């Protein structure tokens, strides 16, 4: 068992007659290994009788076969609808009676599970979680009921501008790669998923070798070791697959217009990003904050919203994935203003690429990024989530101690160098849903529809 001296500041804010009170709780991360070989990170916090656990498996919806896209999504919605000797109603009633929160989620690269319980019910909560992942029933009634709900949602998305824009953008960026398929699937592929597909997912994609676990709350090391072996001991040792092939987004100036008779167009833009393990990640993180990640302080907001009033909001963000990386952004504006707003985006990207940022912008970004981070450590569940992300990204247990120094080490030259490497206004992928005025589609094979 490895112990890591590491303090997490957990900030709980209370407002009482206009006064905000802030308290901090120091906690120690411990990396434990059970007798059965299950590894986990533990933060023992006894002040509140609650235990939170987050588990993530590498390999999410992007591993679904193209003709059955949505398997992981349907599994995440039905895995807690009955397990072992408990049918859907009995399982859900047991959770409700003990105020246990248990759910699953499927992302492009990960499949995750969340558990939150009063500490007095910890044994039963872990037992139910273990049943859900090792003996899910996938009975016909709950599966078909939830499939119908998903199909209804997918049908609505066929006319939702934001959904249309996002799906089209990924289809262009990653044509022919699993990243191009929507995580929730399509009406056709979701309809094709069978019980056998769900069973195969549970028995081949959830394993010990592609799993990371974080637990925070009112539980000790020995009790946790016992529960982890009981909960996860029945999983297979190795997963069939946990990663899709490496890829990169299309590097070609592209404008796709999806015609929709709405007064305001929805726009998504972006291109090549930076992976989480890249040495320049922190410089890119600071750069993105200044470009479009900082709300009213960003250049995009200042120029496009504040000075010209073309948009209500405009933003950019980094999206590092397991097998690729993106930098993306978006806005909504009147059909008549789409072209002007896009030209402004391109101009601001080109400007920051050529000239970098100012010393004042850099200092402000560092202050905000370091000062706001503790607010994300506001609950057991949020700490567990961050600890899982750290493990998935192979960050050390000391990372939260090091994070401020890594950000503070970014220089003006670093930001300019990364801007020149990362930002490319000449190869931006743009998708517009609406009726943009005087904007023409662009790019090989890309046509207005």
């Amino acid at each position: 068992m490895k112990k890591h001296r590491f303090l997490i500041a957990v900030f709980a804010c209370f407002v009482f007659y206009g006064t905000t009170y802030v308290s901090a709780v120091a906690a120690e991360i411990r990396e434990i290994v059970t007798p059965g070989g299950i590894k986990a990170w533990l933060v023992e916090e006894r002040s509140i009788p609650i235990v939170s656990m987050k588990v993530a498996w590498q390999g999410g919806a992007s591993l679904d076969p193209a003709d059955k896209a949505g398997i992981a999504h349907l599994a995440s919605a039905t895995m807690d609808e009955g397990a072992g000797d408990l049918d859907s109603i009995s399982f859900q009633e047991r959770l409700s009676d003990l105020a246990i929160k248990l759910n699953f989620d499927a992302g492009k690269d990960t499949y995750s599970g969340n558990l939150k319980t009063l500490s007095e019910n910890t044994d039963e909560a872990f037992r139910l979680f273990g049943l859900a992942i090792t003996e899910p029933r996938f009975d016909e009634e709950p599966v078909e009921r939830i499939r119908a709900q998903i199909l209804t949602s997918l049908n609505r998305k066929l006319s939702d501008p934001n959904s249309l824009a996002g799906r089209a953008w990924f289809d262009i960026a990653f044509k022919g790669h699993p990243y191009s398929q929507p995580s929730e699937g399509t009406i056709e592929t979701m309809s094709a998923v069978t019980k056998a597909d769900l069973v195969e997912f549970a028995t081949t994609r959830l394993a010990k070798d592609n799993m990371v676990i974080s637990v925070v709350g009112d539980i000790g090391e020995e009790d946790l070791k016992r529960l982890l072996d009981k909960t996860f001991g029945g999983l297979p040792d190795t997963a069939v697959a946990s990663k899709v092939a490496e890829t990169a987004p299309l590097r070609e100036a592209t404008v796709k217009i999806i015609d929709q008779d709405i007064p305001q167009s929805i726009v998504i833009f972006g291109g090549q990003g930076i992976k989480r393990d890249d040495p320049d990640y922190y410089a890119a993180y600071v750069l993105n904050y200044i470009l479009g990640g900082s709300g009213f302080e960003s250049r995009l907001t200042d120029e496009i919203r504040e000075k010209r009033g073309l948009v209500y909001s405009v933003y950019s963000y980094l999206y590092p994935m397991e097998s690729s990386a993106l930098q993306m952004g978006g806005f909504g504006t009147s059909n008549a203003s789409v072209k002007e707003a896009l030209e402004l985006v391109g101009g601001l990207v080109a400007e920051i690429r050529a000239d970098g940022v100012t010393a004042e912008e850099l200092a402000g970004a560092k202050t905000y990024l370091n000062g706001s981070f503790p607010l994300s450590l506001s609950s057991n569940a949020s700490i567990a989530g961050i600890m899982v992300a750290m493990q998935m990204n192979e960050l050390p247990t000391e990372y939260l101690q090091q994070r401020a120094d890594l950000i503070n080490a970014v220089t003006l030259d670093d930001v300019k160098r990364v801007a020149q490497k990362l930002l490319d206004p000449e190869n931006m992928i743009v998708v517009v849903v609406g009726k943009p005025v005087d904007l023409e589609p662009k790019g090989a094979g890309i046509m207005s529809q």
Side-chain angles (χ1 to χ4, degrees), residues 32-40 207-209 211 213 221-222 224-238:
I32 67 172
V33 181
T34 72
I38 306 295
K39 295 181 181 180
K208 297 174 185 175
D209 71 326
M211 173 179 69
I213 304 168
E221 182 179 318
E222 294 307 314
L224 180 59
K225 286 181 178 180
R226 171 179 57 82
L227 291 172
L228 291 176
D229 275 341
K230 285 185 176 181
T231 303
F232 301 101
L235 290 176
D237 291 332
T238 58

Side-chain angles (χ1 to χ4, degrees), residues 306-329:
E306 295 302 301
K307 291 182 179 179
R308 295 171 177 82
L310 298 179
V311 301
Y312 178 75
S313 69
V314 58
Y315 57 88
S316 68
Y317 60 94
L318 297 179
Y319 186 3
M321 297 182 287
E322 179 69 26
S323 300
S324 191
L326 301 171
Q327 183 170 38
M328 300 183 68

